[in-house]
Amino acid sequence: MFPCRRHPPLCAEEPRRLSTEQLFVEIAGWSGAVVILLAYLLLSIGRLTGQSAAYQWMNVGGAAGFIVNGWWHGAMPSASLNVIWMLIGAMALWRIRQRGSSTSTR
């Protein structure tokens, strides 16, 4: 009636230590999550606007962390989405810069 082996097993496996590379990947992913959530919080409470360079830089940086983490873990949909997210942020930064340089020449 019950299989001989359970998946996952009933008892937890021994905790394993992360390599330096794995630790970097996890820090990148969690940092990316925190930065994107912080950007959204600041936007939602009115401290930043969608047209501010700070907001766009936070999105670009957060997406970069998610790309590293998603790629490492083989989460291609997440990694691909964040490449697009990062490109949107980069385009917005380019437009902000263009707008800033056109107003300074007048």
Side-chain angles (χ1 to χ4, degrees), residues 37-99:
L37 283 173
L38 182 60
Y40 185 62
L41 172 69
L42 293 172
L43 179 72
S44 296
I45 64 173
R47 299 293 290 263
L48 292 177
T49 69
Q51 296 302 312
S52 70
Y55 176 74
Q56 297 302 334
W57 275 115
M58 291 174 84
N59 276 303
V60 167
F66 274 144
I67 292 166
V68 169
N69 190 274
W71 186 272
W72 176 267
H73 289 290
M76 292 303 115
S78 176
S80 300
L81 170 73
N82 281 288
V83 166
I84 294 166
W85 189 280
M86 192 168 83
L87 290 173
I88 292 169
M91 286 181 358
L93 284 167
W94 181 78
R95 291 184 71 195
I96 290 167
R97 186 166 188 241
Q98 290 298 106
R99 193 174 47 227

